Amino acid sequence: MTKTTLTTSAGNPVPDNQNSLTAGARGPVLLQDVHLTEKLAHQNRERIPERVVHAKGWGAYGTLTITEDISQYTKAACLQKGAQTEMLARFSTVAGELGAADNERDVRGFALKFYSSEGNWDLVGNNTPVFFIRDPLKFPDFIRTQKRHPKSNLRSGTAMWDFWSLSPESLHQITILMSDRGCPQTPMQMNGYGSHTFSLINAENERVWVKFHFKTRQGHAHYTNAESAEVIGRTREGYQESLFGGIENGEFPKWDMKIQVMTEEQAKHTAFNPFDLTKVWPHGEFPLIDVGVMELNRNPENYFAEIEQAAFSPSNIVPGIGFSPDKVLQARIFSYADAHRYRLGTHYEALPVNAPRCPVHHYHKDGSMRFFEPKHGSSDAYYEPNSFDGPAEAPQHAEPALPLDGDADRYNHRDGNDDYTQAGNLFRLMNAEQQGRLFSNLADAMGGVPSEIIERQLAHFDQADPAYGAGVRKALGL
Ligand code: NDP
């Protein structure tokens, strides 16, 4: 069989891919060896900036199938009963770099892209229903504490606990992170949460607030710190092996999609701020409503092209799904798309993995890597409004007005917020063994941290539940 001819990137046939062009067998290389220089130049450019957070990830394609009728809440085409939507999931750790070990204790990213007929809907959540902060101004500070110390280039328990103990809104998420669920065995054995409050809008243009949940059908499974150290000693790629390998073997993981719904009127009367990312909506008050099932069933052909270049952004929503006053969500709406423009370039949404599967019509112009042609009518329609049948807005997709009240000011986000009840509820939900592992995980994580910082943090555990503080004290040998 004749082999395909190797070419340069310009398509010129390559006569020799084994030997450089040199002056004599022992001689120096000639600059004229364009194949050699192209090969080296390309290698030099193979890396793009890794994500500042969520750098290490694993992903697969699948399908979202809607099995229940939730049209009373949303008109989104991809959420109507019977709809099947192709999708991409990318799971990740938060703090570790691109080469970090998969099985470390950390929050897991749970990012979903649904290629709907009305454009991409990205739900960029975590395996936790809450987060460490409620004001986005604190996000860069928080992430600094999770990354490397500028002098030692080591991760710093002191920085983490200093920040956390000074930011009691983090207690709920710390309790999850240090519980069994902080170290899932595989990406298949954890839940996913949209985390933020979003909105749903129905065909009558009525809005409700919503939380999205994806409950694993594989069951929860977690490693203790000792087990994860042993796993990492064997393989640093535990998640990639289990997700990629499972799908190659025809094992297709599934999650049940559910929502919680709150009316605009109910939102005015909850004991907690329903737009506070450090809070859940208790199931007893806001029961889970079945929606459908998500299945992952296809591995990407090329990890870099399809997972490293996958760009998820909470700003991608479809008619029938909207944002909410959650401050952190609003900052992410800006920040994620901005990060992708920096990492991947202006036209990152045109890359095959990110490209919507529906027609795209916009007037954004040129820029680096403009490799696509707008496919709308006349070439004279390159501004708007125009008389040449160019794309125009569709007012039927306008959301209902959102009533806002209050004076513009910098409100102290720590005033009047109860940071302890829900963290305590989670603690009290754990059985004695689970609480014991929580205490010892916390004591491990606090090793080497100055005592005044530990004391400050212990006071937070005490406020969540006296038994919580007492257990950690005992584990610390205090
Ligand atoms: P419920 O008893 O109705 O629900 C408890 C929830 O906690 C379940 O969703 C369960 O997930 C989840 N869970 C169990 N162990 C852990 C853990 N170690 N880390 C994180 N989640 C865990 O109680 P409420 O709704 O009244 O909430 C009580 C507490 O449960 C909350 O304060 C919150 O910390 C936690 N929680 C609540 C969620 C919510 O949306 N209401 C979501 C997740 C956690 P599963 O069913 O998959 O086992």
Side-chain angles (χ1 to χ4, degrees), residues 129 172 176 179-181 191 193 213 215 220 260 280-284 422 425-426 429-430:
H172 196 181
I176 298 176
S179 78
D180 288 346
R181 297 214 181 172
N191 288 345
Y193 302 90
H213 301 249
K215 297 264 197 182
H220 293 280
Q260 288 174 291
V280 295
W281 297 358
H283 293 132
Q422 291 201 353
N425 289 346
L426 177 59
L429 198 118
M430 296 178 198

